[in-house]
Amino acid sequence: MRTAEIVRKTRETDIRLSLDLDGTGKNSVDTGVGFLNHMLELFAVHSGADLQVKCVGDTEVDYHHSVEDVGICLGEAFCKALGDKRGIARFADRVIPMDECAAQVALDISGRPYLSFCCKLEGKIGTFDAELVEEFFRAFSSHAGVNLYMSLLRGGNLHHEAEALFKAFAKCVQDAVKISSDKIPSSKGVL
Ligand SMILES: [Mn+2]
């Protein structure tokens, strides 16, 4: 069973997150941040992972702590659910359009964190600071041990830009965690 549950409580956020990499996209997401809920729901649907998230955070400050800490928990759950990573495809890349925008994402489940984020997301999406998209993916990549490359081939509406990035990320996750052999996909024998 490639599942994990993470419980994380700090002075800034109180989070419970569960992930099933072999799900059907079922989701129940309540982060206290409407736009993040929207992104995580579509992440579940397009990756095929089941995802439950409950976050109570200090949104009276702003959304930064909640977004970053949910990213940390998703990364930790992802790493834990994958276990020794035996048999996974490991690499994936996708270009996903959304109307006038197109996002390009490549990822490697290498055991090493790295985020390359070549997008300028600045401004507000409703009450959401668009720059938090990068914070989310940095937190995920750091705690999942994933190399994550994200860029926008075409920009436009901020909501569309973020959504294209999350969808491309979701499809890459789906492709990279797919079981495609009985071996650990590394010349070192360890991931
Ligand atoms: Mn939308």
Side-chain angles (χ1 to χ4, degrees):
M1 291 284 282
R2 298 194 298 171
T3 63
E5 183 170 18
I6 302 295
V7 178
R8 185 179 189 274
K9 188 174 161 60
T10 70
R11 283 192 202 156
E12 295 169 349
T13 59
D14 185 353
I15 299 172
R16 180 176 291 268
L17 181 150
S18 60
L19 178 71
D20 180 352
L21 292 175
D22 301 299
T24 56
K26 248 188 316 182
N27 62 83
S28 159
V29 179
D30 177 9
T31 66
V33 180
F35 188 70
L36 182 61
N37 293 347
H38 180 36
M39 294 299 104
L40 293 176
E41 285 161 9
L42 63 85
F43 165 75
V45 168
H46 294 295
S47 70
D50 291 347
L51 178 67
Q52 288 173 291
V53 189
K54 175 69 185 174
C55 169
V56 179
D58 57 356
T59 51
E60 72 282 0
V61 176
D62 65 9
Y63 295 158
H64 197 117
H65 300 143
S66 291
V67 171
E68 183 176 9
D69 292 359
V70 170
I72 289 171
C73 291
L74 184 63
E76 287 180 352
F78 184 81
C79 186
K80 195 171 161 195
L82 279 174
D84 70 0
K85 308 186 179 79
R86 180 173 297 276
I88 61 169
R90 180 177 163 179
F91 303 98
D93 67 281
R94 288 284 190 139
V95 174
I96 298 290
M98 174 153 189
D99 297 348
E100 78 288 1
C101 298
Q104 182 171 42
V105 173
L107 71 80
D108 174 10
I109 304 172
S110 61
R112 301 186 309 275
Y114 195 92
L115 175 70
S116 171
F117 193 83
C118 299
C119 323
K120 263 213 169 344
L121 266 65
E122 289 171 341
K124 289 275 192 189
I125 305 170
T127 56
F128 182 89
D129 291 307
E131 66 189 16
L132 294 179
V133 171
E134 180 174 357
E135 296 307 311
F136 176 86
F137 285 117
R138 178 167 294 108
F140 173 83
S141 129
S142 296
H143 292 265
V146 163
N147 285 186
L148 185 54
Y149 287 73
M150 314 189 89
S151 63
L152 282 167
L153 297 181
R154 296 284 184 279
N157 175 279
L158 268 178
H159 184 126
H160 291 166
E161 289 179 356
E163 193 160 331
L165 286 166
F166 268 89
K167 283 177 177 164
F169 170 66
K171 296 314 292 181
C172 283
V173 164
Q174 183 176 47
D175 292 346
V177 305
K178 212 165 270 170
I179 298 295
S180 58
S181 81
D182 59 357
K183 298 186 175 61
I184 291 174
S186 165
S187 55
K188 290 187 299 226
V190 173
L191 273 180

